[in-house]
Amino acid sequence: MSQLSLLAVEPWMNFWLTPIWILGLGALAGLIVLLAVWGIAAALSCIPFLGTLADNRKLRNKVAVVLGVVLVIISLPYPLWVARGVWLQQGAGAALSVLFPSLILIAIAALAVPSALIALVSRRAVLEVPMTLREGALWPITIVTLVFAVFGIVGALAVNPRDRIDILRSLPRLPFAGTQNYEFTIEPSAAPDIAARGSATMVDQTIDVSIRSEELYKLVVKSNQTLQLSVISFTETASEQILDVPANEEVTWLRGSGQSSLSDEDIISKLYVRNFGDRPAKLDMTVDTAPIYPEVAAVPITALAVVVVFLLYVLQRTLLPKLSAVALSTSKSEIAQPMFMLMVIVGAVLLVAFIYIPYFTLGSDIKMLKDSGLTMIMVLGIFLAVWAASTSVSEEIEGRTALTVLSKPISRRDFILGKFFGIGWAVAVLFVLLGAVFLVVVAYKPIYDGREGSTEATWQLCHLEMIRIVPGLALAFMETLVLAAISVAISTRLPMLPNFIISLAIYVLGHLTPLMVQSSVVQKQFELVTFVGQLIATVFPVLDHFNIQAAIAAGAEVPYDYLGWSLLYCLLYGTIAMLLALVMFEDRDLA
């Protein structure tokens, strides 16, 4: 056992702990980046102009506008250039589909980034960072991050030494991974006599490339003539290392698919080609490269998530102090409730129990585990959101507590938005705690299923299954935020019981909306069905956008652009719900 790792652990434990160790590396990297950002901000805050700029509202807004314009000028040419290339190749529609999301991102960045930079370098924000970490929702998130970061250090002892070295070697190679396209013209290798194939009269031709052999992930070759490719001379290579390319057929070589390795050399600098056609061949070759272990892509993604969460909390506290005061009070109150701790304990116990429940799915138990776990976490989050909205908004209005809060220099807008943000952070803590348990559980499930089915799992499989649920957790959190915004709006007028009933109805209708719309299209002869379906699709949120049950069943990954559009939909509908809440609360008699 000592040959597997520095600690004497069983092989199955090595397979289970390696994916968690990779996440730990990401958490550790995120904390290091945050410390670096804090140090740089502390140094810049010592400059008198920068350190006090956030406190001067008029000057801060002017500087933010100037920085936003500069950001737009710098970032706009690239998407325009990309859209122009797409337009020339695929038309105006495809160009707009590429340009529109880029313009949205640039607009959001121009509005948010300058203010964020000004807030980060303010002296007040730098001094309040230690206190910010120790209070409110950020403290339990910090604890979870520290646990993963510590495991990122000590967990290396339980990882296979060879895997550990290759994983660490793969990290700096991530920026160099990608896709390269090659186009070559290959002259005929012999007289136009197909019978001469393989004879000594064939002339080997070479094409220049630059590929790291160990990082070659996928090779796609297509030609209008019959070709053969090899990384060394055809007279010296084995037949299984020759890639045959029939005319007008696409041939794919994929790493780890059971095909022979193309080369034993470290760098592939040239390829040998034979053209068996009687005309020059047009060779199109696409080379996809990836590190030895592409799973290390989880490290920068995890680090980015850690940095974004912490910076969002600090920026909220710095830019919106009155709103943050209400949000802090709300989140601390909800997290301190026995109901919150009960949900965390019950949720964690059920997630662990889901490992051992037989689903009788003939090898697809892990899909049922994912679906059950995501649904349970989302339901607990929605319950917490509706409960918190009722207790912190409706009951405070009925109990005249809201009147006491608003007697201070806090507006009704800050009160409602602060309640929503506080509920959102409390739900985020619940998702982080249960999500961490869920990741560990899903990483272990392939090992348990392998034992039951007498098959052997690998740490790559455990990592793949674990990573595939992260988009599901993000989408479930977005759905919970949408329902939290709706629940806050309802709580401005109605008590807890009607709030739960209406929220439940919206949840059910939101998931039935696609079915109703489809039914309205099929049943066009019934105008009432068509009208009701279109009305529900317009008024109620389409919560089925946040459901990845189909992706789980198919074993498919959720693309990043889908997450982006879902986030945009969450922000738009959440904004509409909060505007409705402000309108309903503005004329509410609190006395």
Side-chain angles (χ1 to χ4, degrees):
M1 298 304 174
S2 60
Q3 296 178 354
L4 291 177
S5 61
L6 297 180
L7 295 179
V9 298
E10 297 289 337
W12 67 265
M13 187 172 292
N14 171 261
F15 298 154
W16 178 34
L17 296 180
T18 300
I20 303 173
W21 175 65
I22 293 176
L23 288 184
L25 291 178
L28 180 62
L31 291 179
I32 293 174
V33 171
L34 285 174
L35 287 174
V37 170
W38 186 31
I40 295 172
L44 293 176
S45 67
C46 296
I47 302 175
F49 174 75
L50 295 178
T52 59
L53 181 60
D55 300 326
N56 189 335
R57 187 172 182 178
K58 292 183 178 180
L59 183 59
R60 179 188 66 191
N61 293 337
K62 292 180 181 179
V63 174
V65 170
V66 173
L67 291 177
V69 172
V70 172
L71 182 61
V72 170
I73 294 174
I74 294 175
S75 57
L76 191 58
Y78 179 73
L80 291 176
W81 178 72
V82 173
R84 178 181 176 275
V86 175
W87 188 5
L88 294 176
Q89 294 181 359
Q90 305 179 24
L96 288 176
S97 65
V98 173
L99 183 61
F100 183 66
S102 301
L103 293 179
I104 293 178
L105 291 176
I106 291 175
I108 294 175
L111 292 174
V113 171
S115 299
L117 292 176
I118 294 172
L120 285 176
V121 299
S122 68
R123 194 167 302 162
R124 178 166 57 89
V126 171
L127 294 177
E128 290 181 353
V129 165
M131 182 176 63
T132 303
L133 293 176
R134 292 194 301 268
E135 63 180 5
L138 207 56
W139 180 239
I141 296 177
T142 303
I143 295 298
V144 173
T145 306
L146 286 174
V147 169
F148 274 93
V150 171
F151 190 80
I153 299 174
V154 302
L157 301 176
V159 177
N160 186 314
R162 183 173 180 179
D163 289 339
R164 181 172 64 248
I165 294 173
D166 288 340
I167 288 172
L168 294 177
R169 283 178 54 206
S170 299
L171 273 173
R173 296 299 304 171
L174 274 176
F176 302 98
T179 302
Q180 290 178 300
N181 296 312
Y182 295 93
E183 292 184 1
F184 301 99
T185 299
I186 310 299
E187 297 296 329
S189 298
D193 182 8
I194 302 302
R197 177 170 181 165
S199 67
T201 60
M202 301 298 292
V203 178
D204 295 349
Q205 303 178 60
T206 60
I207 54 179
D208 295 327
V209 294
S210 180
I211 307 170
R212 282 179 172 260
S213 179
E214 63 182 6
E215 295 182 359
L216 179 59
Y217 177 73
K218 185 178 181 182
L219 180 66
V220 181
V221 184
K222 187 175 182 180
S223 175
N224 58 351
Q225 301 291 326
T226 300
L227 304 178
Q228 279 187 339
L229 275 78
S230 175
V231 296
I232 57 177
S233 175
F234 288 95
T235 58
E236 301 176 3
T237 185
S239 59
E240 60 269 12
Q241 290 183 309
I242 296 177
L243 194 64
D244 292 304
V245 184
N248 300 315
E249 291 186 17
E250 189 174 88
V251 176
T252 301
W253 179 92
L254 186 65
R255 183 173 73 191
S257 61
Q259 295 173 292
S260 300
S261 175
L262 293 180
S263 174
D264 298 327
E265 301 292 333
D266 293 335
I267 302 294
I268 302 175
S269 59
K270 64 174 61 178
L271 292 175
Y272 291 81
V273 187
R274 282 180 175 178
N275 178 9
F276 295 101
D278 57 355
R279 293 173 306 192
K282 180 183 178 183
L283 173 61
D284 295 324
M285 187 169 62
T286 302
V287 178
D288 288 340
T289 57
I292 303 173
Y293 288 132
E295 292 83 4
V296 296
V299 174
I301 295 175
T302 304
L304 179 62
V306 171
V307 172
V308 168
V309 170
F310 278 73
L311 289 184
L312 281 177
Y313 195 93
V314 173
L315 291 175
Q316 172 198 302
R317 182 184 177 96
T318 305
L319 295 175
L320 305 169
K322 295 180 181 179
L323 181 151
S324 297
V326 179
L328 176 62
S329 174
T330 303
S331 61
K332 289 177 66 175
S333 175
E334 298 306 324
I335 294 174
Q337 294 292 331
M339 178 68 71
F340 182 87
M341 187 56 62
L342 180 63
M343 285 192 290
V344 172
I345 294 175
V346 171
V349 171
L350 288 177
L351 287 174
V352 175
F354 287 162
I355 298 176
Y356 306 100
I357 295 177
Y359 296 98
F360 304 105
T361 58
L362 301 178
S364 298
D365 283 11
I366 191 166
K367 297 179 180 179
M368 294 299 298
L369 169 66
K370 291 179 181 180
D371 190 42
S372 303
L374 286 174
T375 302
M376 186 200 66
I377 294 175
M378 184 183 64
V379 169
L380 289 177
I382 293 173
F383 180 83
L384 174 63
V386 177
W387 177 278
S390 300
T391 55
S392 63
V393 178
S394 178
E395 291 186 4
E396 287 193 13
I397 293 175
E398 297 295 334
R400 304 295 188 271
T401 306
L403 185 62
T404 304
V405 174
L406 293 174
S407 63
K408 301 176 182 180
I410 294 179
S411 64
R412 295 196 176 207
R413 180 189 61 187
D414 292 331
F415 179 80
I416 288 296
L417 294 179
K419 290 295 182 182
F420 171 71
F421 274 79
I423 294 170
W425 281 112
V427 172
V429 172
L430 179 69
F431 268 79
V432 169
L433 295 175
L434 293 182
V437 176
F438 195 31
L439 290 174
V440 175
V441 165
V442 173
Y444 177 73
K445 183 62 175 175
I447 299 172
Y448 178 79
D449 289 346
R451 287 177 171 179
E452 294 294 312
S454 299
T455 59
E456 185 176 355
T458 62
W459 73 262
Q460 289 92 339
L461 176 62
C462 296
H463 180 273
L464 178 64
E465 298 292 354
M466 179 182 70
I467 290 299
R468 281 181 175 175
I469 67 167
V470 175
L473 287 171
L475 291 171
F477 180 67
M478 295 177 197
E479 180 175 346
T480 305
L481 286 183
V482 171
L483 288 172
I486 295 174
S487 180
V488 169
I490 297 172
S491 297
T492 59
R493 293 289 179 171
L494 298 176
M496 180 181 296
L497 183 59
N499 192 351
F500 268 102
I501 295 174
I502 296 174
S503 298
L504 177 61
I506 293 175
Y507 175 81
V508 174
L509 291 175
H511 282 281
L512 291 178
T513 298
L515 183 61
M516 291 184 175
V517 173
Q518 183 180 3
S519 176
S520 67
V521 172
V522 175
Q523 304 290 338
K524 287 185 177 180
Q525 63 271 27
F526 298 105
E527 296 184 0
L528 180 60
V529 176
T530 303
F531 173 76
V532 171
Q534 294 177 349
L535 177 64
I536 292 176
T538 303
V539 176
F540 292 98
V542 185
L543 299 179
D544 211 50
H545 289 332
F546 307 106
N547 185 8
I548 65 166
Q549 186 175 7
I552 292 176
E557 296 182 1
V558 180
Y560 291 115
D561 57 347
Y562 184 85
L563 290 176
W565 286 113
S566 299
L567 177 60
L568 180 61
Y569 183 82
C570 171
L571 294 176
L572 290 177
Y573 206 94
T575 301
I576 294 172
M578 293 313 301
L579 290 175
L580 179 62
L582 293 174
V583 171
M584 296 172 65
F585 187 66
E586 189 65 31
D587 60 348
R588 177 68 190 270
D589 185 10
L590 302 179

